[in-house]
Every structure is written in C-alpha cells, then in structure tokens.
Amino acid sequence: METGRSTRAVMALRDRILAGALPPGERLFEVALAEELGISRTPVRSALAALEQEGLLERQHGGGYAVRCFSFQDVADAIELRGVLEGTAARLAAERGVTSRDLDAMRRLLAALDRAVDPESYDFASYQSLNAEFHEALAALPGSQILRAEISRAGRLPFASASAFLQSQQAVPAFHRSLIAAQAQHHSIVEAIAAREGARAEAVAREHARQARGNLRYVMFKDRSLIDQVPGLSLVVE
Amino acid sequence: METGRSTRAVMALRDRILAGALPPGERLFEVALAEELGISRTPVRSALAALEQEGLLERQHGGGYAVRCFSFQDVADAIELRGVLEGTAARLAAERGVTSRDLDAMRRLLAALDRAVDPESYDFASYQSLNAEFHEALAALPGSQILRAEISRAGRLPFASASAFLQSQQAVPAFHRSLIAAQAQHHSIVEAIAAREGARAEAVAREHARQARGNLRYVMFKDRSLIDQVPGLSLVVE
DNA sequence: AAAAGCATAAATGTATACATGAGCCTGTCA
DNA sequence: TGACAGGCTCATGTATACATTTATGCTTTT
C-alpha cells in the first residue's frame, strides 16, 4: 500500500479544501501545514505542487500557494470541457472501431446500470460506482493513452467529474427521471459507437455531460442547501 | 528575472531530452543529474516532477523517472487533441460572441500573416511568431481561463504545438502552398466566429490542426532526415 | 538444478539547517 | 505631511544529512 507522507499530505489537504476548511483565496503556508500535519516541509511542498497541478491551488505572485477560487462560469466551462473530451473518446472509438470484447464489456455495464435504475431493483450506490466505471471504460475505448490521461485530468476538478452531482441529485424532485434520461444517453453512445456513427456518439456524449450543467444551475440558484453535497462547490465564489 | 535553480534545471533537462541527449526510455537518476548540473537534488526533484507534468517524463514503477516513449499514434493523438480543444475555443467564441475589440485584434493578426505569406513580402520568421500569436489569441477568445489553460497544456508536448512542424516544412517541396492553405483556414475560423457560426468554426479549427498530421506522416515516412527539425520527434519509437 | 530467502547496495523519500528574497514597517528627510 | 530609503522579519528556495524502500545477486536448501 502506498502510504508515503507525501501522498497522505495530498489527501489530507485535498479533503480540507473540499470540505471548506480552507476557504477559497486562503493563502497556505508550508510551515503551518507541516506542523498541522505533523510532518516536515518537504512532503508538504510536493503535496502543494501536486494540488496545484490538480487545479485546487494556484501560485501566488512571488511564491506560495492559495486555495483557488472558481466562478460559476468556471465550473460550467470545466463541465463543457469534460463533455468535449468524452465526446472525442466516443467519436474516435466509433471511427476507429472497437473490439467485440470491449463492446461486450460496455454492454454488460449498460445492463448492470439498467438493473440499478429499474424501480424494481433500484440501487443508488451501485449506480454511482457503475456510472464511474462506464465513464472510465468509455475514456479507454479508443485505445489512446494520451486522450485517456487528458479525460482523467478533466475529471480531477471535483465538480467536473462524471459523478459530481449524483449525490445532490438524490434530493431533487425529478431525480429518478434524470437518472433514466442519463442511462438512455449511455445506451445511445454505445449504440452509436457500435454502428460507427462518430458524429452521433460525440454529440450525445457532449449532451450527456451537459446534464451536469443543469444540475449545477439547480444547486447554485434554486436550492443552495445542496451545495455541500457536491464536492468542491464550496470553492465557487460570486 | 526568474532564474531559480529549479527553473534552470527544468530548462536544461528539457533541452537535453528534446535534443535526444537522453534517449527515450532512459532512466534518470537524481544524484547523477544533480552532479551534472552542479546543483543539489532538491531542485532536480522538483524539475523532474515538473517535466512529468509536462509529459516528457513518466514515473517508473517503484519510484524514479524515465524519458517517455511516444508512438506515431501518440503524436497523432496529441495533434488531434489540440485540434479538438482549439476547435472548442473557436466554437465557444462564436457561440458566446466576441467583443469588436478582440475581433479587430484577430483581424490585425490575419492581415500581418497575409503579408508574411505573400510572395512579394515573404517573411518566414514573422509567420512563425505571428502564427503562435494567432493560436494563443484564439485560445483566449472565449474568455475561459479553464479552456485556455487546457489548450496551453495540450501544446506543451513539443510535437503537438501549433508551430511544431513549421521549421521542417521549410524543406519540403509544397511548403509555401501549405502555408497559404493554413492561412486560408485562419481566415475561415475568424470569419466563422464573427458570423456566430459555431459548428463551422469548430470544424475548420480541427481540420487546421490536422494539417500537422500530414506533415507528421511526411517527416516520419517520406523524409526522415527532417526528424531533427521537429522538436521532440526524437522521442518517437516504433 | 531450481527456487526461495536473505543480505547488501543504491536509489528515492524525508527531515532539518541554511540562504535568499520579497514585503512591510519605521524613521528620517524634503 | 508625504515619500523614499533602510532594515527587519518571515516565507520560500536550496543544500545536505538521514531513513526507508527496492531491486539485485548470492547463498542455501530442497
């Protein structure tokens, strides 16, 4: 198990940032963090650098880091970006073709997701993990390491990940309907890829991501009590 | 002037990697590099981490770094990725609209590029820097910090940047014709943005990037003597 | 002879001490 | 009273010493 101090520091700081314990804009000092975490400055430094790459911190003028601030538009753009990249994965998979083995795997995931959303056998926890699996498998489908890495990066910003709003959705009225709609899009994407319909696969994957934009609007403007349920949304300042 | 040892180490190592002094797959040792550069391990470590983020190095199993190997397909994918992202910038600029101030700036760049490609006043050096300016301005056009940063990242891999193949193109027969074709695409992109034609702007920007794919094929399969003129192409192994 | 386990050496991970530089406060001079 | 200069302080950048882990090779045992 990889349990280096540096890794632990990254996790601890990430948790604190996302929990809102470190408010957006707050400057972070190496010595203070080191004492707080009971380790030396060295792993703290590498953790800060890692979190900057992750997009949670930004360098201050003249050295040092601060917790990053995001605008509503930033979050919307990050979601759009993920959609564009996942759409590219879907299109390339369609254009280049996929092995029947990979296609079967996608269809098995679809079937499992079907069971998870079915009112008869509804299982939210399963849906959550299966949804993440589906999106990871999709990213890997065209067989491009470069694209896969970039999609993974785009989902690092917590509010931009494929399952960022799932938790909060549970509390909204039309929740189950939106789950069903999303699952229908999953089916369309796989069908398009199987039929080598690149443009369709790309368009549906993009639109699929944009569902999150609607959820974002709901959380930010209709029911702000849900903000705490979406990881990283505490970093959004107006 | 920012002349920290860490920054210097990044530049020195990047140069050596791109120059082929450190062959792809080669493992890098901190102590050796530190002695070679006449500095301590600390800035070397941060430089290695930075170059990993840049995509030039990859972590070895169990710690340590090695010079990254790329396949032909990797390079093609990186180019496609840049095209997708620049296409997104073009589309969003068209959809969201741009200020007349920004539009004028783009048109001034176009006019300057026109002069640079005109046989009467041909100036390759000008074209090179103006082309880079054009692509940077395009990335900034939709006003999205997130997208701009991601486009910048995509161009970090040296062979995926917008001007990666310019130098090598000088030596190919149909060089000047391809420059004129590229410039025509620049015009189309700006025209589409001005007319709020998002789909067109995106499609043309993508196709524009794909010119690099043609150049890549030429360099790799038709005239490998040009490989040294494209930064980073020495990292491609079959 | 082959496989497993231990020992050893070398690399990375971590801690700490030292150097440097930027920001700020104060005091003095115009 | 305002502005500039000088020094002080604190945070980051760097060097080095120490700890830990990993890989390799040799020995031993089956």
Side-chain angles (χ1 to χ4, degrees), chain A:
Chain A
M1 179 132 180
E2 182 190 16
T3 175
R5 283 161 163 70
S6 191
T7 309
R8 282 189 173 284
V10 171
M11 295 190 300
L13 291 177
R14 189 194 292 124
D15 287 348
R16 291 180 198 207
I17 292 170
L18 295 180
L22 301 171
E26 173 123 332
R27 170 96 183 260
L28 297 184
F29 300 98
E30 297 174 1
V31 280
L33 294 174
E35 283 176 15
E36 208 172 319
L37 299 174
I39 58 181
S40 77
R41 274 179 58 210
T42 309
V44 171
R45 277 179 71 80
S46 85
L48 291 174
L51 289 169
E52 186 207 359
Q53 285 304 323
E54 206 168 307
L56 261 44
L57 301 180
E58 60 187 359
R59 293 196 77 92
Q60 291 291 81
H61 174 72
Y65 297 91
V67 179
R68 190 162 165 197
C69 302
F70 295 92
S71 66
F72 174 86
Q73 190 59 46
D74 284 335
V75 180
D77 287 345
I79 291 169
E80 177 74 14
L81 179 65
R82 173 172 63 84
V84 165
L85 293 175
E86 288 188 343
T88 299
R91 173 174 63 86
L92 291 183
E95 290 174 353
R96 298 177 179 179
V98 299
T99 64
S100 60
R101 180 190 181 81
D102 285 345
L103 200 56
D104 285 346
M106 295 302 286
R107 287 182 169 140
R108 268 195 300 276
L109 279 170
L110 282 179
L113 280 161
D114 279 334
R115 282 191 295 276
V117 297
D118 186 345
E120 303 285 332
S121 55
Y122 176 62
D123 182 347
F124 177 74
S126 287
Y127 183 86
Q128 204 159 11
S129 68
L130 285 168
N131 182 63
E133 270 187 70
F134 179 88
H135 282 266
E136 274 172 43
L138 177 62
L141 218 45
S144 166
Q145 206 53 48
I146 293 220
L147 180 58
R148 210 175 81 83
E150 221 54 28
I151 291 176
S152 170
R153 262 192 66 81
R156 285 267 210 304
L157 284 178
F159 43 70
S161 89
S163 44
F165 288 89
L166 275 183
Q167 200 66 39
S168 71
Q169 269 181 290
Q170 270 197 124
V172 324
F175 165 59
H176 195 256
R177 256 186 302 165
S178 72
L179 232 56
I180 289 174
Q183 171 64 359
Q185 289 172 324
H186 289 161
H187 275 280
S188 293
I189 292 168
V190 173
E191 193 180 298
I193 290 173
R196 315 294 288 262
E197 299 167 346
R200 178 187 172 203
E202 176 166 28
V204 177
R206 281 190 183 183
E207 194 59 22
H208 181 58
R210 290 195 191 105
Q211 232 186 271
R213 192 173 55 185
N215 296 332
L216 171 65
R217 260 197 289 267
Y218 187 89
V219 171
M220 294 297 288
F221 301 131
K222 292 269 202 300
D223 185 355
R224 297 183 65 89
S225 74
L226 295 173
I227 281 186
D228 297 333
Q229 302 202 23
V230 184
L233 233 47
S234 60
L235 302 180
V236 177
V237 299
E238 279 327 290

Side-chain angles (χ1 to χ4, degrees), chain B residues 213-231:
Chain B
R213 192 172 56 184
N215 297 333
L216 171 67
R217 260 197 289 268
Y218 187 89
V219 171
M220 294 296 288
F221 301 131
K222 292 268 201 298
D223 186 355
R224 296 183 65 90
S225 73
L226 294 173
I227 282 185
D228 297 333
Q229 303 202 21
V230 183

Side-chain angles (χ1 to χ4, degrees), chain B residues 49-91:
Chain B
L51 289 169
E52 185 205 1
Q53 285 304 324
E54 208 169 308
L56 261 43
L57 301 180
E58 60 187 359
R59 292 195 78 91
Q60 291 291 82
H61 173 73
Y65 297 92
V67 179
R68 190 161 164 201
C69 302
F70 295 93
S71 66
F72 174 86
Q73 190 59 47
D74 285 335
V75 180
D77 287 344
I79 291 169
E80 177 75 14
L81 180 65
R82 173 172 64 84
V84 165
L85 294 174
E86 288 188 343
T88 299
R91 172 173 64 86

